[in-house]
Amino acid sequence: PALVSLKNVSKTFANGTVALRDMSLDISRGDFVSLLGPSGCGKSTALRIIAGLGDASSGSLAWPVRSPVDDKSGTGGPNQDISFVFQEPTLMPWASVFSNVYLPLRLKGLSRTAAREDVMDALQMVGLESSAGSYPRELSGGMKMRVSIARALVTKPKLLLMDEPFAALDEITRFKLNNDLLHLWEKFGWTVIFVTHSVFESVYLSNRIIVMAARPGRVVQDIAVDAPYPRE
Ligand code: ADP
Ligand code: ADP
């Protein structure tokens, strides 16, 4: 059974822009799906509709868990079932790495002490346990992105949505993060929807690539990827 299901979803914005036309999609538990396509083809719009951050103009979204509140904090708000990672790491600059990752659990009402183990586990996943006391300004772009990922994972979400998360990073950092993300996914088996315009990333990371075309945004291919590359 699908974890998330879009049926004939269309989206027309108030200014008349048709961002999506008739998009249907079933995401299964454990999928690592890439949404691949040129800028403006509706990838972010589709992701926002799945997350409940935007409404479809027509069609339906079947989704067994609730939607997150409409915020851009990257924490998924009080709904712990979905986490969102954005291209720009939206960290609180005045708070330590520990506090940034703790935020979603704090919103959930957990004390710092009660959350400590989960926060440190999440930091360990991304290799930053020794930076818990650092501040965002002391970190590289890649490290900030790791903190954002740790913050997204700390609540153990059912669905991880990533909107071009690595686009702002240099190529080497990006490659390292791709590898780390892949290893984490292989180990923990989350369900991930990963928006990218990189063919490389989509082929390397996902087990399924959904190719979208613009004007108006629609799905043109839905490709199963059977681990084409040997991974170390
Ligand atoms: P992608 O993520 O693939 O780059 P988007 O989903 O961001 O594409 O955008 C799809 C189309 O919808 C684009 O033409 C974009 O300009 C338009 N669009 C996105 N958001 C809005 C908005 N709030 N109002 C009007 N048009 C929008
Ligand atoms: P702020 O209150 O400005 O967010 P911090 O998040 O750095 O500042 O610290 C708030 C409190 O949390 C302080 O008492 C600090 O000692 C404690 N703290 C900071 N980092 C950690 C950590 N890694 N583990 C446990 N407690 C921490």
Side-chain angles (χ1 to χ4, degrees):
L3 181 67
V4 190
S5 177
L6 292 179
K7 282 212 175 27
N8 306 107
V9 165
S10 297
K11 174 72 180 185
T12 305
F13 284 104
N15 66 2
T17 304
V18 182
L20 288 176
R21 179 166 295 170
D22 217 19
M23 181 168 181
S24 294
L25 187 62
D26 282 331
I27 306 286
S28 304
R29 206 171 285 274
D31 268 353
F32 194 131
V33 176
S34 286
L35 280 188
L36 174 70
S39 205
C41 72
K43 305 183 294 294
S44 299
T45 302
L47 209 61
R48 290 176 61 80
I49 289 172
I50 290 168
L53 299 173
D55 289 326
S57 308
S58 63
S60 65
L61 170 72
W63 170 243
V65 300
R66 294 161 304 131
S67 301
V69 294
D70 191 5
D71 76 357
K72 272 226 159 205
S73 65
T75 62
N79 179 353
Q80 309 299 327
D81 291 321
I82 309 171
S83 287
F84 220 124
V85 176
F86 297 98
Q87 179 175 330
E88 301 297 332
T90 50
L91 303 179
M92 304 179 289
W94 62 85
S96 66
V97 165
F98 182 94
S99 294
N100 270 284
V101 175
Y102 164 51
L103 177 68
L105 297 180
R106 180 176 166 179
L107 293 174
K108 223 174 147 182
L110 263 74
S111 71
R112 203 173 250 277
T113 313
R116 190 180 166 78
E117 194 177 321
D118 283 346
V119 171
M120 293 312 287
D121 282 351
L123 284 173
Q124 196 187 353
M125 277 188 199
V126 299
L128 281 183
E129 65 274 33
S130 61
S131 301
S134 301
Y135 284 79
R137 65 174 173 276
E138 303 171 277
L139 307 177
S140 69
M143 288 164 92
K144 280 185 221 170
M145 182 47 72
R146 286 174 200 277
V147 177
S148 297
I149 293 172
R151 184 182 55 190
L153 296 175
V154 77
T155 56
K156 305 180 171 75
K158 289 197 176 72
L159 179 63
L160 180 61
L161 303 175
M162 306 182 89
D163 195 353
E164 301 198 35
F166 307 145
L169 302 173
D170 69 84
E171 232 170 310
I172 291 174
T173 305
R174 189 171 175 151
F175 184 66
K176 284 185 184 150
L177 279 171
N178 275 327
N179 273 325
D180 292 349
L181 182 61
L182 192 56
H183 287 137
L184 285 171
W185 176 71
E186 283 171 346
K187 189 162 165 195
F188 297 101
W190 309 301
T191 310
V192 185
I193 306 179
F194 188 94
V195 165
T196 183
H197 51 240
S198 159
V199 174
F200 170 83
E201 261 179 3
S202 67
V203 173
Y204 192 67
L205 289 173
S206 20
N207 60 9
R208 186 173 165 205
I209 303 173
I210 292 167
V211 184
M212 295 180 66
R215 279 183 267 283
R218 65 207 159 84
V219 174
V220 289
Q221 292 259 22
D222 190 337
I223 306 163
V225 183
D226 192 14
Y229 289 99
R231 291 157 179 161
E232 42 168 307

